Amino acid sequence: MLKTIAGFDRIGEENAFAVLARANQLAAEGRDIINLGIGQPDFRTPDHIVEAAIKALRDGHHGYTPATGIPDLREAVARRTLATTGVEVSPDNVMIMPGGKVTMFAAILMFGEPGADILYPDPGFPIYRSMIEFTGARPVPVPIREENGFAFSAEETLSLLTPATRLLIVNSPANPTGGVTPRAEIEKLVAGLDAWPDVAIMSDEIYDQMTYDGAEHVSLLEFPAIRNRLILLNGWSKTWAMTGWRMGWSIWPSGAENGALYDKVRKLAVNAWSCVNAPAQYAGIAAIDGPQDAATDMIAAFDRRRAVVTDLLNALPDVSCVTPKGAFYAFPNIAATGWKAKALASALLEDAGVALIGGPDFGVHGEGYIRVSYANSEENIRKAMERVSDFLERRAAA
Ligand code: PLP
């Protein structure tokens, strides 16, 4: 009997991938499935980005790069950060990662161990909790509440900090709720963190470009008071429709007085993945420095669909939906239908051919909700909502 470390008995998964597999299986059997479960843009990577990767390969860029990423790309990220947040960061603090997810992997590995507490949003991206459990740290959920428009509450977050807290994870705009936390709340959080100088913060800002109705994305980078303990997670997956390229970046504090975090993540890269796929890094430069019209058009399309899906969800019997202000998800409250969220999601897939994700797949505070991704055409969204409406009228709670 082979015995692996205990972390592997605790590590979790993303159920969205299981739903996707089941949806694909049903489709392969000939069923007409509409997928609103997926967490990736339904747009192609813009052509000029694809061409840059092809050119890079033709130009011979197929070898190892520095573990931290090619310097031109790190400079491009620094330029973009200045343009989007007004904050100057050094390319020497920018780390190119194989996807956004790998930053959370690295950050949680750095701070998680038995005896440590790590705070994370619930409902939230499922990998936060899974990785915290892997390390043996105690996962402390920060409830994300519908009555706050799914913004996080600074007061509630601060109330959960203890001397054991090593890392605080925040995410805005948020998956799975579409919530965007307003500036005043973030200012309150940052002010409160003054009393907790030994807590590191990881801010997942991968949806930073996707805000609507005038909602403002506020980067935690804007606050000098926490810069020396902030890990900023971002990447190419969402903004430029590049999920399969596995391209992310993060900004880490450096210097021994800040835990030498940047050098630690560099060493982790050397040990685990050496460097990110070289042609993909050249594509990353083209994404940042090239024309942004495809990205802008995609986000405008999400905005239009958001209005459609929110209206249709609110028209469903016993369903109510806060208007999401960011990302490409709606998180309707289905408690009044009498269904448990996962049972409803499963019945909708099997019976109505609509793939959605039950809220509990994002944490215990997700019960009573389902996640609807509107990364699908307006036509499919309308068709899916008709099917859901028909299903809810046909079937009383099981
Ligand atoms: N963070 C959040 C909140 C996400 O929703 C996702 C992807 O769904 C990621 C990070 C990971 O992105 P990537 O595909 O670049 O690893």
Side-chain angles (χ1 to χ4, degrees), residues 39 99-101 104 125 128 171 175 204 206-207 237-238 246:
K101 218 179 221 178
M104 61 187 83
F125 192 58
Y128 305 143
N171 172 222
N175 179 5
D204 182 343
I206 201 154
Y207 296 101
S237 293
K238 315 289 173 174
R246 309 312 302 136

